[in-house]
Amino acid sequence: MRSSFTKFTKNEIKKSMRKIKLSTVGFFAMAVLGLFLTGCSNSGDSTGTSGVMVRLSDAPGDYKEVNVEVKDVLIKSNSNTDDQGWVSIGKNPGVYNLLDLTGGVTALLADNTIASGNLGQIRLLLGDNNTVVLKDGTTHKLSTPSAQQSGLKLKVNQTLLADKTYEFLLDFDVEHSIVVQAGGSGIYNLHPVIRVSTKETSGSIKGTISPLLVGFQVLASVQVGTTTVSAYANAEGVFRLDGLPVGTYTVTLTPDIASGKVVKTIAGVVVVNGTIADMGNISL
């Protein structure tokens, strides 16, 4: 009896162990399947594409022409903490006269579709074919710092949602970007100062000087914190101030002193995201 009881017990133990093994394998398989399905679900939630447009405009400078060669536009996310991961999205390389980009006129540098997610930086890659034409008509080469060969990096930190298009404006501050070497050397250096804004998180102000001050410039400006955002009226008398945060502004119009006109201020101009506040015709 004792021998038979011992043999029965061992058989029962073997059967129990097989059941445990089968249950463990089944549980493991279900767990793996669950992780696989979860991974697919998360991947589906995070995938998608967004449109990205990059435009160039000009903040004013007292020159006849400022010609800048744009070779490419590149972007990267913040996931790469090193200098890797840049992707080219440039569309229209070439030489641009920044002083043509006033009154709401912009140059389209990039128009592309990219993966949705974080956009950390935009890099503007400039060439060496840069010149400035002074008021007297003389042309001078703009010397470019060697560091600029790797491109001017501009922080954006924008989350791009799927199926949306984001329009970035690079406002090239001509007045603060051109440095004349002292001592009458005649050397002009280009040290780009660029303000970045996006249409989705900013608005614009525009207006028309009427009647025109023929032969004289008019500078339009507003104060944004400690920064002055300004632009000259173009040949048609139109000015436009872009990349303004939501708020109420006082617009200052400063005509050329030789015109005999006085400075004019207009308060209470309201800016809303994604819209242009049109002031209409303004007489000085």
Side-chain angles (χ1 to χ4, degrees), residues 236-278:
E236 288 73 42
V238 178
F239 66 85
R240 182 162 144 179
L241 304 168
D242 292 307
L244 303 177
V246 170
T248 303
Y249 294 90
T250 296
V251 178
T252 300
L253 301 173
T254 307
D256 189 326
I257 193 170
S259 69
K261 298 290 185 177
V262 298
V263 175
K264 184 171 187 174
T265 58
I266 303 171
V269 182
V270 178
V271 170
V272 178
N273 281 346
T275 64
I276 301 172
D278 193 345

Side-chain angles (χ1 to χ4, degrees), residues 71-76 85-91 110 112 114:
K71 297 180 71 175
D72 202 357
V73 177
L74 304 99
I75 59 171
K76 68 171 288 188
W86 290 98
V87 177
S88 170
I89 62 169
K91 180 178 182 179
N112 221 314
I114 66 171

Side-chain angles (χ1 to χ4, degrees), residues 16 29-30 60 63 89 157-158 191 242:
S16 298
M30 291 300 294
Y63 305 98
I89 62 169
N157 295 326
Q158 175 81 40
H191 293 276
D242 292 307

Side-chain angles (χ1 to χ4, degrees), residues 62 209-221 230-233 237 239 251-266 282-284:
D62 194 22
I209 307 302
S210 181
L212 280 171
L213 294 183
V214 179
F216 301 102
Q217 288 185 320
V218 177
L219 180 68
S221 62
S230 57
Y232 282 120
F239 66 85
V251 178
T252 300
L253 301 173
T254 307
D256 189 326
I257 193 170
S259 69
K261 298 290 185 177
V262 298
V263 175
K264 184 171 187 174
T265 58
I266 303 171
I282 305 167
S283 177
L284 296 178

